Amino acid sequence: METPFSDFSRLGEEFRRCRKPVVVVGSGIFGSVMAERLASDGGRDVFVLEKRSQFGGNSYSAPDPETGIETHRYGSHIFHTKSQRVWDYISRFTKFNTYRHKVMITRRGRVYAMPISLFTINTFFEKNLKPADVAPFLAASAEKFRDRVPANLEEKAISLIGEDLYRAFIKEYTEKQWGRPAAELPAEIITRLPVRRNYNIDYFNDPFQGIPIDGYGKLFARLLENPKIRVFLNTDYFDVRGLFPESVETVWTGPADRLLDYKYGYLEWRSLRFEWETHNTADFQGTSVMNYADHDVPWTRIHEFKHYHPEREEIFESAKTVICKEFPAAWKPGDEPYYPINNERNRELYKKYAGEITQRPGWHLGGRLGAYQYWDMDRAVENALDLYERAFRR
Ligand SMILES: Cc1cc2nc3c(=O)[nH]c(=O)nc-3n(C[C@H](O)[C@H](O)[C@H](O)COP(=O)(O)OP(=O)(O)OC[C@H]3O[C@@H](n4cnc5c(N)ncnc54)[C@H](O)[C@@H]3O)c2cc1C
């Protein structure tokens, strides 16, 4: 299962030896699936350029050297999908464990389950409502927005779940996340706030869920193991583009504005910062993700990674644990982009960039950065499979 990493200095030489090579910029799940399809189904030679020191993009995980705990380097990543096609495809490269994601939220020193369910409602209001009571209960508390269109995120959220639940679980968390008052955020950021009328506290509804049994790092190594794929790590496209002819077919999964030297201005993002800690305790918080609703707690959530692999019994029971605090952060050019700021200015700007890039013969735009969209991994896989079928499959 060796991944054929190549030496950066040999890139130009190797490239000239290949017939009809394709360059894939970025080795996240989109770029890696594209590379796999191009090499294994299309028989093409693929040059994957990755500016980081490891492949896998934001989905990457690997064992922590001190504790052996599988850590997700860019925050928790749970694979989940409704798509049989995506599940069948990705399952060719990994087995999944039986993990089902559950998220807890701490608010004013008490813990509740998210998303809001009958369990959350009954514990928060200290009631014993039945499933049929939930809709009328929420409707009564959202009364004042029944006849008018919500003007901002705050109004939209209240119209969906009522004032009390909004103030308890959404307002302060969202304001931390976006760094602005909820009343100044566009209503479109949320289309719905799922409320379960039963005691199901699973975070996702998708029928297919799990964590790669031997980690995302191994999953990516298998996606990229075809000898026709050469992966160049620590290689920024802009440092090596002179080595390729202009006409080479290229799949670009980096930010669209970067490719065109930001000529129309910057697309804006929200960023994140992660703080890592190792604790001498077997279990720090009793669950994989604990959200923090309160304004005065500066992080939005704490990840505790050993909970993703209860089947790794020895490590799960061991006396150490690794946690990671996730802090929302303002973004400026050069920072790591995480969440696109989906407003009219950015949507218009993105259209200009995407229009120009896709006009270039042989150029393909993809991935969450190239699409300027928040995509879960399954959407990135699905879009990569679609792009391959549409643009490359003969
Ligand atoms: C905090 C957080 C938690 C998430 N949790 C989940 C989850 O639980 N489940 C889920 O399904 N999804 C989750 N996601 C979404 C998931 O991360 C994305 O779906 C996935 O990363 C998309 O893959 P990608 O290949 O499009 O982009 P990326 O993973 O971002 O990969 C892009 C790659 O391109 C490289 N690159 C960029 N520019 C250049 C350049 N100039 N030269 C060379 N290389 C370049 C980057 O270094 C990067 O490796 C989460 C996202 C975040 C932010």
Side-chain angles (χ1 to χ4, degrees):
M1 208 189 51
E2 279 293 293
T3 306
F5 297 114
S6 300
D7 176 1
F8 169 54
S9 58
R10 288 190 359 244
L11 202 162
E13 187 194 317
E14 288 202 35
F15 189 81
R16 281 187 294 278
R17 280 197 287 130
C18 297
R19 211 176 62 84
K20 288 190 72 189
V22 184
V23 172
V24 174
V25 183
S27 67
I29 202 155
F30 189 98
S32 296
V33 168
M34 276 306 294
E36 189 282 326
R37 290 290 71 206
L38 284 161
S40 307
D41 189 73
R44 304 285 292 266
D45 286 292
V46 188
F47 287 70
V48 177
L49 310 181
E50 173 53 62
K51 68 179 181 178
R52 292 181 181 167
S53 58
Q54 94 265 318
F55 51 83
N58 283 0
S59 316
Y60 183 74
S61 77
D64 167 56
E66 184 192 340
T67 60
I69 296 168
E70 186 81 25
T71 51
H72 300 191
R73 300 297 157 87
Y74 302 88
S76 290
H77 276 69
I78 299 96
F79 201 95
H80 60 99
T81 187
K82 290 185 174 44
S83 163
Q84 184 78 54
R85 174 190 181 214
V86 167
W87 187 250
D88 288 347
Y89 172 79
I90 207 72
S91 298
R92 287 168 44 201
F93 304 93
T94 185
K95 285 195 168 59
F96 286 91
N97 68 9
T98 56
Y99 177 83
R100 304 282 295 193
H101 197 40
K102 295 185 175 46
V103 173
M104 300 292 138
I105 186 163
T106 298
R107 186 217 171 240
R108 310 283 192 264
R110 293 197 59 197
V111 174
Y112 304 88
M114 285 297 269
I116 293 164
S117 64
L118 185 54
F119 189 56
T120 318
I121 292 172
N122 279 342
T123 43
F124 179 69
F125 291 104
E126 297 184 15
K127 287 188 176 293
N128 187 10
L129 299 181
K130 301 289 176 232
D133 302 329
V134 173
F137 180 78
L138 293 181
S141 58
E143 184 70 24
K144 69 179 176 186
F145 289 107
R146 194 189 305 162
D147 297 324
R148 73 183 172 89
V149 179
N152 53 52
L153 186 145
E154 177 155 298
E155 293 188 3
K156 178 79 174 279
I158 295 172
S159 74
L160 293 167
I161 59 170
E163 187 108 22
D164 293 334
L165 290 171
Y166 163 72
R167 294 208 180 278
F169 298 115
I170 308 295
K171 181 179 166 60
E172 296 176 33
Y173 186 91
T174 306
E175 292 182 345
K176 281 197 283 191
Q177 179 89 344
W178 293 100
R180 280 169 57 192
E184 290 175 16
L185 288 165
E188 310 94 74
I189 290 187
I190 43 169
T191 43
R192 49 190 281 278
L193 286 169
V195 174
R196 300 234 178 85
R197 292 164 195 199
N198 57 28
Y199 288 101
N200 173 9
I201 61 163
D202 278 1
Y203 196 70
F204 300 117
N205 291 321
D206 295 342
F208 307 112
Q209 298 185 32
I211 305 287
I213 199 104
D214 54 3
Y216 286 96
K218 294 277 168 48
L219 160 62
F220 279 99
R222 287 187 207 105
L223 279 167
L224 296 168
E225 78 182 342
N226 190 313
K228 292 184 91 58
I229 302 174
R230 295 146 175 94
V231 181
F232 295 83
L233 299 177
N234 302 305
T235 304
D236 192 314
Y237 169 78
F238 294 98
D239 296 334
V240 296
R241 63 177 157 180
L243 297 169
F244 312 120
E246 287 252 308
S247 56
V248 67
E249 268 194 287
T250 303
V251 178
W252 174 261
T253 78
D257 54 350
R258 173 73 184 98
L259 185 60
L260 298 185
D261 291 325
Y262 309 108
K263 66 194 233 190
Y264 301 119
Y266 290 103
L267 288 167
E268 295 162 310
W269 300 82
R270 190 82 178 136
S271 197
L272 294 174
R273 185 169 63 77
F274 298 105
E275 271 180 22
W276 293 83
E277 294 169 12
T278 301
H279 289 262
N280 290 318
T281 176
D283 196 348
F284 177 81
Q285 62 182 14
T287 191
S288 48
V289 174
M290 177 67 74
N291 286 1
Y292 285 83
D294 299 330
H295 251 313
D296 53 5
V297 178
W299 52 84
T300 45
R301 45 185 185 160
I302 296 182
H303 311 261
E304 185 174 11
F305 296 100
K306 63 161 50 171
H307 291 286
Y308 289 118
H309 290 283
E311 78 284 358
R312 297 186 187 179
E313 282 175 24
E314 207 173 304
I315 293 175
F316 190 72
E317 302 296 342
S318 72
K320 287 193 178 216
T321 192
V322 177
I323 65 158
C324 167
K325 292 176 177 159
E326 181 177 321
F327 298 79
W331 176 90
K332 57 181 181 341
D335 290 346
E336 201 60 55
Y338 282 101
Y339 298 106
I341 309 270
N342 189 5
N343 59 24
E344 205 176 324
R345 173 204 175 267
N346 288 319
R347 280 196 295 269
E348 287 308 309
L349 201 55
Y350 175 74
K351 268 195 224 154
K352 278 191 179 175
Y353 282 118
E356 201 166 315
I357 293 167
T358 47
Q359 291 287 306
R360 287 185 177 184
W363 275 76
H364 308 278
L365 196 54
R368 55 141 203 140
L369 296 165
Y372 194 62
Q373 298 260 337
Y374 177 85
W375 281 352
D376 277 328
M377 290 180 282
D378 65 329
R379 262 194 88 186
V381 171
E382 183 140 56
N383 278 290
L385 295 176
D386 286 347
L387 176 62
Y388 174 74
E389 298 285 325
R390 203 171 57 240
F392 292 96
R393 191 137 200 242
R394 309 272 172 241

